[in-house]
Amino acid sequence: MSRFKYSYNAIVYYQEDIAKGIDRVARYGYDAIELVGEPATHNVEEINKLTNDAGIDVSSICSIWFGEERDLINPSAANRQKALDYGKSVADFAAAVGAPTIIVGPSPVGKTEALASDEQEWEWAVENVRTLGEYAASVGINITLEPWNRYETHFLNRLDRAVELLDATGLKNAGVHGDLFHMNIEEDTIHGAFARAGSKVNHVHLADSNRAAPGVGHIDFRPTLQTLKDINFNGYLTFELLPAASNPFAMMARGGHLEFLDPYTEKAINEMKKLEQELWPNE
C-alpha cells in the first residue's frame, strides 16, 4: 500500500485521444490523472465515463497560463479579465469532472519581464488570485499557486514567495504548489522549501532534474518524500514530465516523446513506490 496518492499529467500525452491516457494511467496503478486545462477540448461526459470505468479519479487540472490574454497581472484590464474568465472556466471544468484542485499561475509562461511596477503587479496578483479563488470556492474547488523558474516567468519563482501571495489573498481554499523541476533551479534545497511551506503545500509536480522520469536525472527524491511525510502532505504527487526542448510541444508533435508514454509512465510510479518501501519498510 502506498503512503501517497499518485497522478500523471496528461500534458505529455500530446495529440493522443484522452481515452488512451486514462487507460495507461489506470493500467500502471495510478490513483488519478491530471487533465490539461483547455475545457473546450474535452468532453466532460466522456471523461467521467472513462475515469469511472477505469477506476481512477481526476486529481487536478493543469491550467495552461500562456499568452497575454491569460495574464492576471497584465496592465490591460481587458486582458486581466480574460485571464479571470479563463480561470473560472477551468474551475467549472474541474467541478464537472470531480477534480478537487486547479493550478494557478498569476503571470503566464514565457513572460520574463515586468510590464508594470513591482508594487502594481503584486496588487493585481493579490486582487485577481483572490477573485479567482473565491469563484473556485463557490463551485467547490481549491486552487494551488505554482512558482516557475526564472527562465519561464519573472513573477513567482520560489515557494516562499507563493506562500506570501497566498497569505495576502486570505483565501481558505488555496495552497501552494511545488514542482521539482522548477525547484531544482530556484530553491536552496527542495525538501527545505517544502518544510518551510509546511501545511500550505496542497499539490506537487514530480519530475527529475531534466524533467524526465525519476531515476533519469540527478535529483535524490528521498529527502523530499520524507519531508512530505513529515508535513502530513495529503494531496496528489503528480508527474509532470516533458521532453528536453525549448519547445516541448513542437518536439512532441514530431514524435520525440515516445519514452514519456508507456515507459516513463510505468517507471515514474515504480521508482516512487520503490523509494517508499526503502524509506518505510515496516509501514
Side-chain angles (χ1 to χ4, degrees):
M1 181 175 178
S2 177
R3 169 170 291 279
F4 298 108
K5 298 181 295 184
Y6 290 98
S7 175
Y8 201 91
N9 190 340
I11 196 168
V12 80
Y13 299 156
Y14 186 66
Q15 295 181 321
E16 265 194 353
D17 188 287
I18 191 60
K20 290 185 178 180
I22 290 171
D23 172 73
R24 182 183 293 115
V25 165
R27 186 160 25 97
Y28 289 121
Y30 286 81
D31 302 286
I33 189 167
E34 181 170 280
L35 297 176
V36 177
E38 292 290 0
T41 67
H42 293 291
N43 181 312
V44 168
E45 290 183 1
E46 178 190 22
I47 287 171
N48 288 339
K49 183 179 188 308
L50 288 168
T51 53
N52 183 66
D53 290 348
I56 65 170
D57 295 320
V58 179
S59 63
S60 39
I61 307 298
C62 180
S63 311
I64 302 300
W65 296 96
F66 292 134
E68 65 178 16
E69 294 186 355
R70 293 178 181 178
D71 184 356
L72 293 171
I73 62 170
N74 194 285
S76 164
N79 285 359
R80 297 196 303 274
Q81 185 59 51
K82 288 176 182 177
L84 279 172
D85 292 343
Y86 166 70
K88 291 175 180 179
S89 75
V90 174
D92 289 338
F93 175 47
V97 296
T101 304
I102 65 170
I103 298 168
V104 174
S107 188
V109 171
K111 180 186 168 190
T112 56
E113 294 185 13
L115 300 178
S117 70
D118 292 347
E119 294 77 12
Q120 181 62 81
E121 286 197 327
W122 188 258
E123 182 181 326
W124 283 328
V126 172
E127 175 187 356
N128 291 315
V129 169
R130 182 188 293 127
T131 298
L132 180 52
E134 289 173 346
Y135 180 83
S138 76
V139 295
I141 299 300
N142 299 317
I143 70 168
T144 187
L145 298 176
E146 182 180 14
W148 300 316
N149 72 73
R150 72 192 71 181
Y151 306 109
E152 296 186 37
T153 182
H154 74 287
F155 185 71
L156 203 63
N157 304 124
R158 299 185 317 277
L159 220 52
D160 59 351
R161 189 67 164 159
V163 168
E164 186 179 352
L165 178 57
L166 172 66
D167 289 346
T169 68
L171 291 168
K172 303 302 182 186
N173 63 317
V176 298
H177 172 165
D179 182 310
L180 270 68
F181 173 73
H182 301 295
M183 296 175 77
N184 181 59
I185 297 170
E186 297 296 343
E187 304 288 359
D188 53 358
T189 64
I190 293 170
H191 62 280
F194 277 128
R196 291 187 293 272
S199 62
K200 293 179 180 177
V201 180
N202 69 342
H203 197 58
V204 172
H205 272 166
L206 294 179
D208 215 322
S209 55
N210 52 2
R211 220 166 194 176
V216 178
H218 60 69
I219 290 178
D220 180 0
F221 290 83
R222 291 173 182 82
T224 293
L225 289 186
Q226 183 63 58
T227 300
L228 291 172
K229 176 179 180 287
D230 292 343
I231 65 173
N232 297 311
F233 175 75
N234 62 3
Y236 283 93
L237 299 183
T238 299
F239 296 95
E240 186 184 63
L241 311 180
L242 288 168
S246 56
N247 185 339
F249 299 100
M251 176 177 273
M252 289 188 285
R254 297 194 302 270
H257 70 307
L258 298 184
E259 68 273 27
F260 288 80
L261 306 181
D262 281 87
Y264 280 0
T265 305
E266 180 179 24
K267 179 178 178 58
I269 193 168
N270 287 347
E271 286 287 329
M272 287 299 105
K273 289 189 173 181
K274 177 184 174 184
L275 288 180
E276 284 193 43
Q277 184 59 34
E278 291 176 5
L279 286 167
W280 309 296
N282 300 316
E283 295 187 17

